[in-house]
Amino acid sequence: MRRFKVGPLVKGAAFLVLILAATGCSLLSVSEIRNATRNDVVNLGDSIFALSGKIHDNLQSWAGQTFRRYALSGSMVSHIGDQYNKAKRDNANIQTIFMDGGGNDILIPATLFDPYNCKVDWWESGLSSSCKSLIDDIYVDTVNLLNRMGRDGVDNIIYLGYYRVKDGLIGTTKLNQAVDYGDARLSLAVRNATAASNYRVFVDPRAYISSSDIIIDGIHPSSSGSQKLASLIWAKLQPLL
């Protein structure tokens, strides 16, 4: 069987998509939901939630209620802090947040120039110290954000981790050691955010998402992937509703 080869035009289009995502382009995001039947339940994050919106759609369908959504494609941890500020301005009564964050802090520089050497080539023994330092900084930023949420009175935080990516228009399996290290640090951030909410849980999707659950870009969930991710979140969210 002939292997599909990605031509320069397709690669260029993928690169443009990534640039647009990196700038938080709303054209690559589903619409915000700034008023819902459950305004106290808020979704924050990046394009895992925002590109198709199917995770959110599944959760709302199963709950029979609507939740606010501020997730935006291309968002880094600092941008997710901005999303949280916007949600508070709209309605400060936030009891439960389901979210992700940190993936673009690694993906965007790695895809553009890889200045932190987060891609691990076959001849390298493991993840570089510069990439680990970057992820350690993301850990600190995440703890600070979760602590701020806790001080504001948010009761419940469900933090979705990242699954391993596949080779595609944007993704590359060379980043999967960074995914593994990143999930370990994000999980620790959720545990160590002492000023954060009473209920904090990290949802690790790596054992559940396969290549068939990821679209052609190698990064984002397909319909089946979105349903699996929603199911993992739902197991933690349903008892809180």
Side-chain angles (χ1 to χ4, degrees):
M1 180 182 296
R2 177 180 293 180
R3 294 189 62 180
F4 174 75
K5 293 185 178 181
V6 178
L9 182 61
V10 176
K11 287 183 178 179
F15 183 80
L16 177 61
V17 166
L18 182 68
I19 294 296
L20 290 172
T23 59
C25 178
S26 60
L27 294 176
L28 298 177
S29 296
V30 291
S31 300
E32 292 180 335
I33 301 174
R34 299 178 65 177
N35 188 41
T37 58
R38 289 294 302 267
N39 280 319
D40 60 313
V41 182
V42 172
N43 171 224
L44 310 174
D46 55 35
S47 56
I48 298 299
F49 286 107
L51 187 63
S52 72
K54 290 181 179 178
I55 297 174
H56 198 98
D57 291 345
N58 283 320
L59 292 171
Q60 290 187 142
S61 175
W62 298 336
Q65 302 174 91
T66 58
F67 312 127
R68 286 195 282 160
R69 175 174 62 206
Y70 297 85
L72 182 68
S73 295
S75 294
M76 299 183 181
V77 173
S78 61
H79 304 134
I80 294 167
D82 294 337
Q83 294 172 21
Y84 175 60
N85 292 337
K86 187 174 186 177
K88 285 198 302 177
R89 290 194 298 269
D90 284 346
N91 188 326
N93 179 28
I94 302 174
Q95 300 301 312
T96 299
I97 291 175
F98 61 97
M99 63 179 292
D100 70 349
N104 281 322
D105 298 69
I106 301 168
L107 175 66
I108 290 173
T111 304
L112 297 178
F113 306 108
D114 199 20
Y116 301 99
N117 193 24
C118 285
K119 295 177 183 176
V120 179
D121 290 296
W122 64 267
W123 63 82
E124 295 178 295
S125 59
L127 195 62
S128 70
S129 58
S130 58
C131 188
K132 288 180 179 178
S133 294
L134 170 66
I135 295 171
D136 290 343
D137 289 340
I138 296 168
Y139 160 85
V140 173
D141 292 340
T142 302
V143 169
N144 290 338
L145 176 58
L146 297 181
N147 283 345
R148 183 154 63 91
M149 293 173 177
R151 289 191 296 270
D152 290 342
V154 177
D155 289 329
N156 312 300
I157 296 173
I158 302 168
Y159 202 110
L160 177 66
Y162 293 92
Y163 47 84
R164 296 183 183 94
V165 299
K166 69 178 184 180
D167 291 324
L169 298 178
I170 299 172
T172 170
T173 55
K174 293 179 181 180
L175 285 171
N176 281 336
Q177 289 196 41
V179 171
D180 290 340
Y181 187 79
D183 272 348
R185 297 300 284 165
L186 289 173
S187 176
L188 188 64
V190 172
R191 293 200 304 272
N192 288 349
T194 55
S197 61
N198 295 322
Y199 178 79
R200 304 187 308 276
V201 61
F202 179 80
V203 177
D204 187 345
R206 285 175 292 174
Y208 303 93
I209 301 298
S210 63
S211 293
S212 62
D213 297 316
I214 304 172
I215 65 175
I216 193 173
D217 67 3
I219 299 293
H220 296 99
S222 63
S223 294
S224 63
S226 293
Q227 185 166 21
K228 287 181 180 180
L229 294 171
S231 295
L232 294 172
I233 296 169
W234 181 242
K236 309 299 181 182
L237 178 61
Q238 184 183 24
L240 305 175
L241 298 177

